[in-house]
């Protein structure tokens, strides 16, 4: 079947980019056994971390509650910084399974993370969650930011979220 061919490509293709796209497709197709293939691929090192990124994006698209812990773990420091925003985005997609866990993880990244790319991704994700508690988190991040650009970005996102939640 086509799904079996995509799964085989996701597992074994020599090209990290091809594997990445196959993993995303497995999640999008909600393929049988996709969860197992995607979860094991999150442990795979590859050029530019593409395989792990594809697996995380696929997990977000698969919308299986069993994926949430893995996705949140990869959103936190310790994962390559270009991969963390992919995990953050996947966490938002999975938030319906444990909104509070996703909110808290994003809030913590916005509050304490030193890595700008992840902090910005988490701040944008807080807006996407549409949780009123995010306004205070973003305002606080704006006040504590060391550079004016980050401060302004956090303030703008706080305003955007405030307009969405209507407070």
């Amino acid at each position: 079947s086509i799904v079996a061919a995509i799964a085989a490509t996701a597992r074994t293709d020599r090209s990290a980019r091809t594997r990445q796209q196959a993993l995303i497709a497995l999640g999008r197709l909600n393929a049988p056994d996709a969860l197992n293939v995607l979860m094991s691929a999150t442990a795979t090192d590859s050029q530019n971390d593409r395989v792990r990124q594809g697996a995380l994006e696929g997990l977000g698209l698969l919308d299986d509650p069993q994926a949430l812990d893995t996705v949140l773990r990869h959103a936190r420091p310790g994962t390559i910084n270009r991969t963390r925003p992919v995990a953050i985005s996947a966490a938002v997609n999975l938030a319906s399974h444990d909104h509070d866990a996703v909110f808290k993880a994003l809030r913590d990244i916005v509050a304490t993370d030193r890595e700008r790319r992840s902090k910005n991704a988490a701040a944008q994700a807080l807006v996407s969650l549409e949780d009123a508690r995010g306004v205070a988190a973003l305002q606080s991040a704006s006040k504590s930011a060391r550079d004016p650009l980050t401060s302004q970005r956090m303030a703008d996102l706080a305003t955007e979220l405030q307009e969405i939640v209507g407070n």
Side-chain angles (χ1 to χ4, degrees), residues 60 63-65 68 71-72 88-103 106 125 128-130:
D63 197 30
D64 187 313
L68 187 57
V71 165
L72 288 176
I88 288 165
S89 175
V92 171
N93 290 347
L94 297 170
S96 63
H97 302 293
D98 190 343
H99 182 90
D100 231 41
V102 173
F103 173 80
L106 297 174
S128 299
L129 272 189
E130 299 184 2

Side-chain angles (χ1 to χ4, degrees), residues 43-64:
T44 303
D45 294 327
S46 64
Q47 183 180 7
N48 297 325
D49 215 28
R50 289 187 197 282
V51 171
R52 191 173 347 265
Q53 289 171 9
L56 291 165
E57 187 173 338
L59 287 170
L61 293 166
L62 191 59
D63 197 30
D64 187 313

